[in-house]
Amino acid sequence: MRSELCTRCGSCVGLSGGSIVFHDREGRYLPRQIADVDDATAARAWTACPGKEFNFPFYRNHFYPDAPHFHEYIGSYQELMIGHSTDEEVRRNGASGGIISAILIYLLETHRIDGAVTLRMSHSKPWLSEPFIATTRADILEAAQSKYTISSVNELLPQIAAFDGVLAYVGISPQVQSIRKLQHAGDPSVKNIKYIFGPFYGNTLYFSSIRSFLRTYGERDYHNISKLYFRYGEWPGNMRIEMKSGRVIELKKFHANYLIPFHVLQNSLYCTDFTNEYTDISGGDAWAPVYEERGRGFSMIVSRTPQGQAIIDEMIKEGNLVANAITEEEAIKMHSHGYDFKKRGSFIRITFRRMTGKAVPDWGYRIKGFPVSRWLMEAMISSMFVLLRTRLARWSVEQMNPVFVGKMFEKARTLWKKSTNKIKRKELV
Ligand SMILES: Cc1cc2nc3c(=O)[nH]c(=O)nc-3n(C[C@H](O)[C@H](O)[C@H](O)COP(=O)(O)OP(=O)(O)OC[C@H]3O[C@@H](n4cnc5c(N)ncnc54)[C@H](O)[C@@H]3O)c2cc1C
């Protein structure tokens, strides 16, 4: 809980019966123990924790024994597709193609589930996200879109356990890993969860990103936020903040990405699960010029289990979803910079961290054999993260025009994508 390895998944908080709480959600957002925890509870929380350890090969063999395909970057899968919801309202509300929301609505309306664990923006504190169990189409639409600041979905474990009915669960990769650990351990808290879905996961940001973004626009008090969206409007969408005064601040998503190196959660840098490998179905943005130019929203869909594939097939057949298969090579090219960041960069960053004598996570596998140039590049990137997260750097960027900084960041991303275009497993040992 005190290390930089905490993912803030919320499992220890949820399992602790009130003895562990998140006390500073607008700050470091760390769990804190406020009362005694008995040994049995501590053992459950320790088992559930995905920050220190998650054995990828072990859980892959356990949950995906017969998957027809496996790639070290993508995980086990049945099929790779590009698609979108055919329901325009769902597609428009979704972060990319509205796939995850469409699936949840479909399962709800066909009575396969009674509720879905999702994440919406809080009604009382609209600058923070909050997990809840969606039981209607309107609830699911309210929860759609990506939230890029810290979320702690698993603090909802008591409500998940007490729910009267079958649940689908949506979470980012560390949260899903924790649910899988609990399922493997036979923990009663997750007995109602039948389906697991989730978005790809590049990184997540501290709340300081919102404060800093506001300061850039001359707004000093985040309490004056009335609505916060990370992906508002036409795909890929805008970061948009509506203030109580009626002022609206909006910046292209690609430009708002400039906040990442200044406010990234340390643990994101050690996480090697980009595509949410332990879900039934996961989804990411279909980042390719051919889709980006068209707007409207396209997702990459990875079906991983037979039950996940069956849902996709059924939804396509019934006209709820449009999805076309793509090759592994196309899929990797589309997110080459993401794989470079998570499947190369993370392992190098873990090695750097180990060299300083600090605790490192154990993922049960290692990708190695990177060229010297990649190590040097990572040394530069890691130094940049250290430098840009200082108060001075954050203050300096707040004095600049966010559109200008955002454009520079977008250019850097394009260059990174180009330079990693040919990233292939066979280049590695
Ligand atoms: C923190 C984060 C980082 C991401 N990084 C990348 C990336 O680098 N590359 C990429 O291609 N895609 C990334 N994605 C995924 C992408 O933004 C879309 O979520 C994905 O394409 C699914 O789109 P959709 O339209 O199908 O989802 P929607 O229909 O919009 O549904 C999204 C679902 O995810 C849930 N959700 C949203 N945010 C969170 C969160 N923080 N924690 C838990 N649950 C959440 C929502 O409640 C909703 O149920 C990221 C998503 C998140 C949340």
Side-chain angles (χ1 to χ4, degrees):
M1 281 156 51
R2 281 180 292 274
S3 81
E4 286 163 330
L5 304 186
C6 176
T7 68
R8 281 63 165 183
C9 72
S11 289
C12 59
V13 172
L15 293 170
S16 74
S19 298
I20 302 175
V21 296
F22 285 116
H23 69 106
D24 183 18
R25 291 176 197 259
E26 287 97 350
R28 301 255 304 140
Y29 206 125
L30 273 171
R32 178 192 279 176
Q33 188 177 339
I34 56 166
D36 283 346
V37 177
D38 62 63
D39 285 353
T41 306
R44 283 171 82 200
W46 186 244
T47 299
C49 177
K52 61 184 184 349
E53 173 269 336
F54 182 81
N55 191 313
F56 278 60
F58 175 81
Y59 289 106
R60 187 163 63 239
N61 289 337
H62 183 78
F63 288 106
Y64 307 89
D66 303 317
H69 307 285
F70 169 73
H71 188 286
E72 199 116 68
Y73 291 169
I74 303 171
S76 305
Y77 70 91
Q78 307 273 326
E79 229 180 285
L80 305 170
M81 291 153 278
I82 299 292
H84 59 82
S85 165
T86 53
D87 182 326
E88 277 308 316
E89 190 188 16
V90 176
R91 191 176 180 189
R92 205 175 44 248
N93 267 275
S96 39
I99 298 292
I100 296 179
S101 299
I103 293 169
L104 298 179
I105 291 171
Y106 180 74
L107 292 178
L108 201 60
E109 291 180 346
T110 53
H111 308 290
R112 244 80 62 89
I113 58 170
D114 303 290
V117 178
T118 52
L119 188 78
R120 67 181 169 204
M121 297 313 287
S122 156
H123 294 170
S124 56
K125 294 183 177 177
W127 52 90
L128 292 177
S129 62
E130 72 180 10
F132 76 116
I133 297 181
T135 54
T136 63
R137 174 187 164 97
D139 283 351
I140 289 167
L141 288 180
E142 187 189 357
Q145 291 200 5
S146 303
K147 287 91 186 168
Y148 292 123
T149 45
I150 297 174
S151 68
S152 47
V153 173
N154 296 356
E155 63 184 307
L156 209 67
L157 281 172
Q159 290 89 320
I160 293 173
F163 187 77
D164 184 16
V166 176
L167 288 170
Y169 170 96
V170 183
I172 52 175
S173 17
Q175 296 160 359
V176 167
Q177 289 171 8
S178 181
I179 296 296
R180 287 303 195 193
K181 290 179 94 177
L182 287 165
Q183 282 183 333
H184 174 260
D187 196 281
S189 61
V190 292
K191 67 180 188 312
N192 291 325
I193 297 176
K194 179 156 184 213
Y195 303 97
I196 300 186
F197 308 116
F200 288 11
Y201 176 55
N203 54 66
T204 196
L205 305 183
Y206 286 106
F207 185 73
S208 58
S209 56
I210 305 298
R211 269 204 237 114
S212 174
F213 183 71
L214 282 182
R215 275 201 292 266
T216 308
Y217 286 87
E219 293 284 348
R220 300 267 139 204
D221 190 355
Y222 64 82
H223 292 98
N224 291 328
I225 293 176
S226 65
K227 283 244 177 224
L228 167 59
Y229 306 87
F230 294 90
R231 300 285 294 263
Y232 184 86
E234 178 94 3
W235 184 67
N238 297 336
M239 179 161 171
R240 175 183 164 108
I241 301 188
E242 297 173 8
M243 305 300 289
K244 285 181 187 156
S245 63
R247 183 178 183 197
V248 174
I249 303 168
E250 214 165 320
L251 186 66
K252 272 171 72 177
K253 180 227 169 336
F254 278 145
H255 292 172
N257 279 348
Y258 84 83
L259 292 163
I260 295 172
F262 295 90
H263 302 278
V264 66
L265 175 71
Q266 187 74 12
N267 172 266
S268 307
L269 303 178
Y270 307 125
C271 164
T272 66
D273 185 348
F274 176 60
T275 61
N276 222 330
E277 296 176 33
Y278 293 86
T279 48
D280 287 299
I281 302 170
S282 66
D285 288 281
W287 294 142
V290 56
Y291 301 111
E292 287 171 41
E293 279 156 18
R294 281 193 248 169
R296 295 188 67 198
F298 290 88
S299 289
M300 178 181 294
I301 312 165
V302 186
S303 61
R304 301 183 182 277
T305 54
Q307 75 166 358
Q309 185 64 48
I311 295 168
I312 300 281
D313 291 343
E314 222 179 290
M315 288 179 72
I316 294 174
K317 203 164 141 216
E318 294 188 16
N320 294 301
L321 214 64
V322 170
N324 295 306
I326 55 165
T327 63
E328 208 169 66
E329 200 164 334
E330 284 172 289
I332 290 173
K333 195 169 164 192
M334 205 168 272
H335 289 100
S336 58
H337 57 309
Y339 295 118
D340 183 57
F341 188 67
K342 305 291 267 192
K343 293 288 184 185
R344 293 172 148 191
S346 288
F347 283 104
I348 299 177
R349 288 186 290 273
I350 288 172
T351 305
F352 286 163
R353 188 178 163 88
R354 189 183 292 112
M355 281 156 60
T356 66
K358 291 183 179 166
V360 294
D362 179 3
W363 303 136
Y365 78 116
R366 239 174 108 187
I367 301 179
K368 49 187 184 171
F370 313 118
V372 175
S373 56
R374 185 64 188 82
W375 283 85
L376 290 176
M377 179 178 149
E378 194 52 52
M380 264 171 56
I381 295 176
S382 294
S383 312
M384 193 185 76
F385 280 133
V386 172
L387 197 73
L388 295 186
R389 281 186 292 175
T390 59
R391 274 180 185 214
L392 179 64
R394 287 178 177 178
W395 177 85
S396 303
V397 80
E398 285 163 19
Q399 314 312 310
M400 296 182 192
N401 180 333
V403 176
F404 171 72
V405 183
K407 277 188 179 156
M408 293 211 321
F409 200 88
E410 193 178 6
K411 277 231 155 62
R413 174 188 177 270
T414 310
L415 274 177
W416 190 1
K417 247 194 114 176
K418 267 199 188 134
S419 72
T420 52
N421 232 342
K422 295 201 174 67
I423 181 172
K424 279 191 237 110
R425 175 71 189 103
K426 70 171 186 274
E427 287 168 4
L428 309 171
V429 179

